[in-house]
Amino acid sequence: MTTAADDLILGLIRIVDLPGLTAAAGQPLAAEDIEAVVREADRFAREAIAPGWQTADRAGARLENGLVRAPEHYLPLYGQWVEGGWQGLAAPEAHGGQGLPHALWSAVLELCSAADMSFTLCPLLTAGAVELLAHHATPDQAERWLPELVAGRWTGTMCLTEPQAGSDLSRLRARAEPAPDGSWRLFGQKIFISWGEHDLTENTLHLVLARLPGAEAGSRGISLFAAPRLLPDGRRNAVSCGGLEHKMGIHGSPTCIMLFDGAEAELIGAPHRGLQAMFAMMNAARLAVGVQGVGQGARALAMAETFAATREQGGKTIDQYPDVARMLAEMRATTLAGRLLALEAAASLDRARLLKSPEAEARLALLTPIVKAWCTDRGVEAASLGVQVHGGMGFCEDAGAAQILRDARIAPIYEGTNGIQALDLVTRKLPRDGGALLRTLLAEAVLVAPAIGQAAATVEQAIPAMLGAGGPVGASRFLDACGWVLGAAMVARAAAADPAHAATRDIFLRRLLPRAIAAAEEAMAG
């Protein structure tokens, strides 16, 4: 049986061909170097992050006298993260990063998220802040902020949501008032801010959406600002945590109500163009959340396999019973498919940047909502199956299976609900070319495995309906259908690269792929 690290190495080297991609870009990365990074990340995740996973869940984050305390062991753990240079893995070399491919960061993120989703959410968001500032900050801003974020000495947040403005950011009320020194003062309340306040680093840079005076209503009147927790002279900025949410899962991650009471801030990018700039961080976060879904599925699978191989009932271990074997096989297949689909999206990002490929850019845009939604839905399903494999023990907290399900459940919700991802697919991405790129991906899938043909044809048949008035109604089921077909192709590619995955491929094509046909037909039914 292969491990998650084994499959990530296979995916990076032999499926998305990261050595070939980097060589073509004139920045060659050898296969042995890729494997070394993944193996070390796997060791760090297993030995440093994973042991405190349940402790963090039980202790949770705490608000004490206006200060947020993360679980106690997170502070030394974060120190190890920083010392290992993990935060800057894929960050620009010009700002202190290592400049390695995003696909490699995606692999590291999966392993660490599987070990502790709450902890890894903090560096995930910082990486998104680096992504945004690298493209939208002025040279002076980049020089002051990026080295701190890239090194992990600071963390970053994204402050979008308000009580009345969740998915609909056009209702945003936070405002920015000009100051005599040319900076801005922020006023307003933000909610659901992950790692908005904590004690792991001295400073946090908040990236905040707010309105300028006289800005037009709606999303076009929104600007983007950066407000540090500590100002350059060491004073505390006028931003504070007004409370912590009491959540179903990810207890170790503080989800904060953030209050801006005249906080000093700087404008990022052009006025009234904040939402466009924030999408750089949001799109990076959406891919990363898809990877979180894979990570939770992988953790659920590993725990379920171990339990089923040692739990005896009726004179044999329960993994020998057909229904338990079926559940484990499904978890194995969907986790592998999601893992490789996420790597394919990350490699598309690398091709777009390193090779300046417009086709790769378009492929990334199309795959992003599919990866975010399909991979997180499969992660929740795998976590639920993991509880089922454990039986009554899984329903009790000590086993840990229940925590995976509680943690995984946020992934289909945050960074744009999966329903919003489906709408993005059918109302934005498909209309760009009338579905031409998706048809290309479906054709590629059939070339990999002709058995995918009927499912791919049914999905293709649904494209005109999705481009019509009924698209929004069937969007979620259509996205699901796309995920099943593209996931099947990724598993087939894995089996072609390594015969160890042949059984998983056969199970996927025989048992799981028919779900694509059912989902596509449901999408067309409206």
Side-chain angles (χ1 to χ4, degrees), residues 330-341:
E330 178 170 334
M331 295 168 73
R332 202 172 292 123
T334 57
T335 299
L336 179 62
R339 172 177 295 128
L340 298 178
L341 195 58

Side-chain angles (χ1 to χ4, degrees), residues 49 54-55 81 94 153 155 161 174 185 187 232 239 268 280 317 372 397 406 413 422 442 467 523:
I49 302 177
Q54 285 184 293
T55 300
W81 170 267
R153 291 187 293 269
T155 58
T161 306
R185 300 294 181 267
F187 298 87
V239 54
I268 304 295
T317 55
K372 195 281 180 182
E397 288 290 349
R406 289 189 289 102
I413 298 172
L442 295 173
L467 291 170

Side-chain angles (χ1 to χ4, degrees), residues 63-153:
L63 179 60
E64 299 175 348
N65 300 318
L67 300 177
V68 175
R69 306 293 186 191
E72 287 186 8
H73 75 277
Y74 274 9
L75 182 57
L77 175 59
Y78 188 78
Q80 293 179 63
W81 170 267
V82 171
E83 185 179 357
W86 294 109
Q87 189 65 62
L89 187 81
E93 291 181 89
H95 302 295
Q98 299 171 50
L100 292 173
H102 190 83
L104 196 54
W105 167 253
S106 181
V108 171
L109 193 62
E110 184 202 316
L111 294 167
C112 294
S113 292
D116 188 340
M117 184 170 164
S118 292
F119 173 80
T120 308
L121 181 54
C122 182
L124 180 160
L125 290 166
T126 301
V130 170
E131 175 78 9
L132 186 154
L133 293 171
H135 290 89
H136 296 282
T138 66
D140 174 65
Q141 290 170 335
E143 183 179 351
R144 286 184 284 122
W145 298 332
L146 278 173
E148 303 298 327
L149 292 164
V150 168
R153 291 187 293 269

Side-chain angles (χ1 to χ4, degrees), residues 166 463 490:
I463 292 175
M490 298 310 299

Side-chain angles (χ1 to χ4, degrees), residues 186-469:
L186 299 181
F187 298 87
Q189 175 182 338
K190 299 290 183 177
I191 64 171
F192 301 156
I193 308 306
S194 298
W195 288 96
E197 179 75 23
H198 60 84
D199 57 353
L200 301 190
T201 59
E202 183 179 77
N203 210 352
T204 296
L205 189 67
H206 300 288
L207 298 175
V208 188
L209 292 180
R211 295 187 185 280
L212 297 176
E216 67 176 286
S219 59
R220 293 183 180 179
I222 297 173
S223 299
L224 176 63
F225 299 86
R229 178 171 62 187
L230 290 182
L231 297 168
D233 61 8
R235 289 180 296 120
R236 173 79 194 223
N237 205 352
V239 54
S240 61
C241 176
L244 295 180
E245 303 294 350
H246 301 283
K247 312 184 298 291
M248 175 180 178
I250 56 169
H251 293 157
S253 169
T255 303
C256 303
I257 300 168
M258 299 302 296
L259 307 176
F260 294 85
D261 189 20
E264 298 182 28
E266 295 183 34
L267 181 69
I268 304 295
H272 314 303
R273 300 287 294 174
L275 199 54
Q276 289 81 353
M278 184 60 87
F279 266 113
M281 187 172 185
M282 291 168 66
N283 285 331
R286 285 172 176 176
L287 280 180
V289 170
V291 173
Q292 284 186 323
V294 176
Q296 296 314 292
R299 184 68 180 265
L301 171 63
M303 290 181 62
E305 285 179 328
T306 299
F307 179 83
T310 56
R311 173 69 168 171
E312 289 191 12
Q313 293 289 282
K316 57 185 177 182
T317 55
I318 64 171
D319 59 356
Q320 298 179 60
Y321 287 94
D323 193 55
V324 174
R326 173 193 62 80
M327 290 188 283
L328 293 173
E330 178 170 334
M331 295 168 73
R332 202 172 292 123
T334 57
T335 299
L336 179 62
R339 172 177 295 128
L340 298 178
L341 195 58
L343 286 183
E344 177 66 23
S348 294
L349 189 155
D350 289 324
R351 292 187 195 99
R353 291 186 179 170
L354 297 177
L355 304 180
K356 311 300 181 186
S357 167
E359 191 278 334
E361 188 76 44
R363 187 174 291 237
L364 171 65
L366 184 67
L367 287 176
T368 295
I370 297 173
V371 167
K372 195 281 180 182
W374 193 82
C375 292
T376 57
D377 280 344
R378 302 293 80 75
V380 171
E381 289 173 2
S384 182
L385 287 172
V387 172
Q388 190 71 22
V389 169
H390 281 79
M393 295 179 186
F395 195 68
C396 299
E397 288 290 349
D398 286 348
Q403 182 185 335
I404 299 173
L405 181 56
R406 289 189 289 102
D407 287 350
R409 192 59 188 84
I410 186 58
I413 298 172
Y414 63 9
E415 300 309 333
T417 67
N418 285 359
I420 289 175
Q421 303 308 309
L423 288 174
D424 178 50
L425 177 65
V426 303
T427 64
R428 292 192 179 96
K429 304 303 169 55
L430 282 185
R432 288 182 179 180
D433 60 4
L437 179 55
L438 179 57
R439 290 186 177 93
T440 297
L441 296 185
L442 295 173
E444 290 175 359
V446 176
L447 287 176
V448 171
I452 297 174
Q454 183 183 357
T458 308
V459 173
E460 184 170 359
Q461 183 183 350
I463 292 175
M466 294 303 99
L467 291 170

